[in-house]
């Protein structure tokens, strides 16, 4: 038997009654969520209930449900609970509104309920304008850049949005809130703004909330220059290439290549590659190219060139027994830096000299010195080898060390002085024997004596004879001039000139022998002078 629909006249009467009792009872509020179920209570009454009828108050009352079983519900979603409460299943947004409960028991009572239907928040959307996204979805921004944040959701009523920030190893801090949408901008991103950003959307009616957390990294390119280096491995058999570009976050990416040709040697984030000797040759070049996720597109590069060592040293050194000697070896042109070793070539071939009380080895940059203390001819004389080695090549140089007995310097000097004195004595003796006059002249020159120290010796008898002859000659000349005055112009004039020669012998410093020799020489010269004067007088005029 089909349920009987209430007649229109009955509904009109009920609507009139509702209009009369609008303010008769207080209004209750109920909140439900879309797609959920809710139960609206008909007043707060305990005990026996009368006939209960539910209406929805729109422009005019609409019958929903009654405890009278003869009246079917207006929608299958409606049902009575405890013969008084209205239960609504699968709420929709259209169910929101005012509901009225009529109860007839001894007297008629009315209860109003305002039903609010909340929805969401759904589809919380976060937008962060960043530099890029990593393969795993993590966002990153460049240091110093500007980043915009926004968060929105689908909700009824509109959700309140809050932003929270949590840095690594720190507590969560709020950025602020807005009732509808939250947007803000961070200028000049720095490392301390790296962390998790959370958008929280809350439906203030239902108190339901949703949140979305997004990790944001702040990357910075390296501020320094790219640096390349090469060094030996501990075993000297391998070459280690190192490329460094410090200060960036995250670490840059490196690639080593051979130049020219561009053959890739290795690629890594550490920038370290190891090569064996077969891959090396003198003068070979290697290039490192560094790239960073937020760095310059062209990246940065540097080139190194490896070189074998060259050696310079003195080929020979001498050491006196019991003294010390230092051998020096200088390395040039080696890259990477060469390791310098000292060896013995003859007595101990290929045996590296180790520092001890006898050998002292020091190294200052590319120079190395080997100091041998208390030299011994048996132990230390011979060849020493300075060896410079790096992964590119090996160079050796030999140094001959001669160990000699010390010399007696005092004895040598005394011998030389004695020989010089002996030579001077021999030469002086020879000069005195073969040329005494020369020796006298030499002695006179050396002594620098004045002429005042010379004694002049003259033969007095010879001087008187010469004066008489000279006076007689003068008288004869006067007579001839008077007699032949007329013929003076025709006849040659006879001029007699007598030259007086005096032999002088110097007597210096009381040397009697030399004075005797001088007197003898003076007498000889006087005799010769007299004979010359007689010959001149016998000649015709």
């Amino acid at each position: 038997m089909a349920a009987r629909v209430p007649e229109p006249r009955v509904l009109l009467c009920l609507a009139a009654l509702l209009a009369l009792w609008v303010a008769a009872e207080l209004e209750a509020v109920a909140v439900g969520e879309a797609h959920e179920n809710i139960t609206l209570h008909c007043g707060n009454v305990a005990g026996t209930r009368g006939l209960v009828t539910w209406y929805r108050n729109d422009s005019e009352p609409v019958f929903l449900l009654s405890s009278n079983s003869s009246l079917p519900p207006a929608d299958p979603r409606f049902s009575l609970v405890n013969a008084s409460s209205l239960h609504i299943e699968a709420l929709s947004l259209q169910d929101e509104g005012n509901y009225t409960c009529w109860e007839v028991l001894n007297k008629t009572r009315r209860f109003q309920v305002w039903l609010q239907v909340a929805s969401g928040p759904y589809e919380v959307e976060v937008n962060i304008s960043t530099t890029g996204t990593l393969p795993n979805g993590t966002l990153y921004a460049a240091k110093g850049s500007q980043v915009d944040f926004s968060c929105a959701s689908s909700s009824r009523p509109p959700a309140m949005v809050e932003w929270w920030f949590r840095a690594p190893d720190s507590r969560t801090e709020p950025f602020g809130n807005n009732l509808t949408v939250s947007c803000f901008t961070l200028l000049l991103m720095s490392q301390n703004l790296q962390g998790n950003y959370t958008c929280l959307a809350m439906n203030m009616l239902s108190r339901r909330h949703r949140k979305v957390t997004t990790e944001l990294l702040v990357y910075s390119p390296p501020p320094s220059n790219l640096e390349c280096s090469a060094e030996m491995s501990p075993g000297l058999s391998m070459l280690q290439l190192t490329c460094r570009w410090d200060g960036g976050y995250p670490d840059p990416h490196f690639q080593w290549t051979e130049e020219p040709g561009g053959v890739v040697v290795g690629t890594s984030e550490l920038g370290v590659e190891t090569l064996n000797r077969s891959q090396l040759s003198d003068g070979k070049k290697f290039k490192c190219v560094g790239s960073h996720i937020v760095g310059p597109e062209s990246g940065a590069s540097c080139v190194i060139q490896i070189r074998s060592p060259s050696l310079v040293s003195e080929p020979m050194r001498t050491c006196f027994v019991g003294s010390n000697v230092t051998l020096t070896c200088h390395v040039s042109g080696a890259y990477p830096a060469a390791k310098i070793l000292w060896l013995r070539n003859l007595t101990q071939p290929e045996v590296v000299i180790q520092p001890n009380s006898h050998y002292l080895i020091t190294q200052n940059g590319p120079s190395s010195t080997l100091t041998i203390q208390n030299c011994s001819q048996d132990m230390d004389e011979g060849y020493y080898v300075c060896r410079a080695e790096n992964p590119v090549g090996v160079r050796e140089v030999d140094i001959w060390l001669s160990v000699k007995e010390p010399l007696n310097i005092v004895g040598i000097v005394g011998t030389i002085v004695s020989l010089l004195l002996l030579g001077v004595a021999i030469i002086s003796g020879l000069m005195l024997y073969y040329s005494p006059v020369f020796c006298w002249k030499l002695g006179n020159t050396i002594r620098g004596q004045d002429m005042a120290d010379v004694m002049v010796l003259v033969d007095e008898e010879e001087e008187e004879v010469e004066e008489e002859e000279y006076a007689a000659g003068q008288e004869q000349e006067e007579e001839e001039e008077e007699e032949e005055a007329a013929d003076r112009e025709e006849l040659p004039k006879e001029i007699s000139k007598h030259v007086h020669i005096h032999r002088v012998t110097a007597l210096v410093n009381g040397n009697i022998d030399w004075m005797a020799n001088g007197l003898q020489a003076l007498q000889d010269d006087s005799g010769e002078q007299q004979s010359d004067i007689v010959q001149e007088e016998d000649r015709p005029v």
Side-chain angles (χ1 to χ4, degrees):
M1 180 176 178
R4 195 173 73 176
V5 179
E7 296 182 4
R9 289 180 297 178
V10 176
L11 295 176
L12 292 174
C13 292
L14 291 174
L17 292 174
L18 287 173
L20 294 174
W21 297 339
V22 169
E25 299 290 342
L26 297 176
E27 186 179 74
V29 178
V31 177
E33 293 186 73
H35 311 296
E36 300 292 336
N37 302 332
I38 191 172
T39 299
L40 305 180
H41 298 283
C42 183
N44 189 12
V45 179
T48 304
R49 307 299 300 263
L51 180 63
V52 176
T53 304
W54 283 92
Y55 297 90
R56 180 171 178 179
N57 301 328
D58 291 329
S59 57
E60 56 183 38
V62 177
F63 174 78
L64 298 179
L65 184 65
S66 175
S67 59
N68 186 357
S69 59
S70 61
L71 300 174
D75 193 312
R77 295 183 301 117
F78 302 146
S79 61
L80 285 177
V81 177
N82 297 328
S84 62
S85 299
L86 174 61
H87 181 74
I88 305 175
E89 296 181 354
L91 281 174
S92 65
L93 297 179
Q94 291 74 19
D95 292 331
E96 185 176 80
N98 290 319
Y99 290 81
T100 302
C101 170
W102 286 84
E103 182 182 13
V104 179
L105 181 64
N106 297 329
K107 65 177 182 178
T108 301
R109 290 184 298 180
R110 179 179 63 86
F111 303 97
Q112 286 189 336
V113 179
W114 180 28
L115 176 60
Q116 293 179 320
V117 179
S119 176
Y122 304 113
E123 301 176 358
V124 178
E125 184 179 358
V126 174
N127 291 319
I128 303 177
S129 63
T130 58
T131 304
T133 305
L134 298 177
N136 61 358
T138 302
L139 303 178
Y140 66 88
K143 183 179 179 181
S145 64
Q146 174 180 315
V147 178
D148 299 325
F149 296 80
S150 65
C151 181
S153 66
S154 175
S155 176
R156 180 179 175 180
M160 183 186 71
V161 177
E162 295 181 353
W163 277 100
W164 295 80
F165 170 71
R166 182 174 184 177
D169 302 328
S170 179
R171 62 184 181 88
T172 303
E173 300 177 358
F175 266 118
N177 58 74
N178 192 294
L179 295 179
T180 55
V181 65
S182 179
C183 300
F184 64 94
T185 301
L186 293 180
L187 304 176
L188 298 176
M189 292 294 293
S190 59
Q191 198 68 34
N192 57 357
L193 294 176
Q194 174 177 286
N196 294 328
Y197 291 82
T198 300
C199 173
L200 175 66
M202 176 177 289
N203 190 315
M204 301 305 295
L205 187 60
S206 64
R207 308 305 296 179
R208 184 179 294 276
H209 67 274
R210 289 181 180 273
K211 64 180 180 179
V212 176
T213 300
T214 304
E215 184 181 10
L216 177 61
L217 303 176
V218 179
Y219 289 164
S220 58
S224 60
N225 295 326
L226 185 66
E227 296 180 356
C228 300
S229 63
E231 57 185 8
M232 293 185 295
S233 63
L236 300 179
S237 60
M238 307 288 285
L239 177 68
Q240 181 174 291
L241 303 177
T242 304
C243 197
R244 297 188 61 183
W245 201 10
D246 298 331
Y249 176 76
D251 293 332
H253 189 77
F254 301 101
Q255 184 180 51
W256 279 100
T257 57
E258 293 183 6
E259 296 297 329
V263 178
V264 177
V265 176
T267 301
S268 68
E269 292 184 356
L270 298 177
V272 178
E273 298 295 333
T274 303
L275 308 177
N276 54 36
R277 288 183 180 269
S278 62
Q279 299 174 274
L280 308 177
S281 61
D282 190 19
K284 199 169 188 179
K285 296 181 179 180
F286 295 92
K287 181 179 181 180
C288 175
V289 177
S291 59
H292 194 269
I293 190 170
V294 294
E297 295 182 1
S298 60
S301 63
C302 57
V303 178
I304 63 172
Q305 185 176 20
I306 57 177
R307 291 285 188 183
S308 60
S310 298
L311 288 175
V312 178
S313 180
E314 297 179 0
M316 297 182 63
R317 289 302 304 269
T318 302
C319 178
F320 292 108
V321 174
S323 62
N324 302 337
V325 66
T326 299
L327 310 181
T328 303
C329 185
H330 181 76
V331 181
S332 62
Y335 190 79
K339 183 177 181 180
I340 304 176
L341 301 175
W342 289 94
L343 303 91
R344 288 299 301 270
N345 193 22
L346 296 178
T347 58
Q348 299 175 354
E350 299 300 325
V351 176
V352 178
I353 298 176
Q354 300 296 333
N356 51 36
S357 58
H358 188 61
Y359 298 110
L360 179 62
I361 299 177
T362 59
Q363 184 165 347
N364 184 13
S367 298
S368 178
T369 59
L370 170 64
T371 301
I372 304 173
Q373 300 179 350
N374 192 16
C375 289
S376 171
Q377 192 168 17
D378 296 335
M379 293 179 55
D380 300 321
E381 188 173 53
Y383 279 105
Y384 288 81
V385 179
C386 175
R387 173 185 293 175
E389 179 178 4
N390 68 359
V392 187
V394 181
R395 294 290 185 274
E396 293 182 351
V397 63
D398 293 340
I399 303 173
W400 172 259
L401 176 62
S402 176
V403 181
K404 298 180 178 181
E405 292 290 340
L407 300 177
N408 188 355
I409 303 300
V410 177
I412 293 175
V413 173
T415 302
I416 293 174
V417 172
S418 300
L419 292 175
L420 289 175
L421 294 176
L422 180 59
V424 170
I426 293 174
I427 294 172
S428 301
L430 292 175
M431 292 177 64
L432 292 175
Y433 180 79
Y434 290 102
S435 181
V437 176
F438 171 77
C439 291
W440 168 80
K441 291 182 179 180
L442 179 62
N444 187 35
T445 303
I446 294 174
R447 291 179 177 85
Q449 298 295 327
D450 297 335
M451 294 301 298
D453 295 336
V454 178
M455 179 182 292
V456 179
L457 303 179
V458 181
D459 191 348
E460 295 180 356
E461 294 181 355
E462 184 177 351
E463 184 178 359
E464 293 177 355
V465 173
E466 288 178 356
E467 289 179 356
E468 291 178 355
E469 291 178 354
Y470 179 74
Q474 289 292 335
E475 291 178 355
Q476 186 178 357
E477 286 178 1
E478 290 177 357
E479 292 177 355
E480 290 177 355
E481 286 178 359
E482 292 177 355
E483 293 176 356
E484 298 176 1
D487 298 332
R488 184 176 296 176
E489 295 179 357
E490 297 177 359
L491 296 176
K493 183 178 180 181
E494 182 182 68
I495 300 174
S496 177
K497 186 177 181 181
H498 299 273
V499 179
H500 301 273
I501 300 174
H502 302 273
R503 298 292 182 177
V504 180
T505 302
L507 178 60
V508 181
N509 295 334
N511 194 327
I512 303 301
D513 295 334
W514 282 105
M515 184 181 69
N517 292 333
L519 292 175
Q520 183 65 35
L522 180 60
Q523 292 175 0
D524 295 339
D525 291 341
S526 299
E528 293 177 0
Q529 183 180 7
Q530 289 178 0
S531 62
D532 291 339
I533 293 173
V534 172
Q535 292 178 4
E536 285 183 0
E537 290 178 351
D538 295 337
R539 292 176 186 174
V541 179

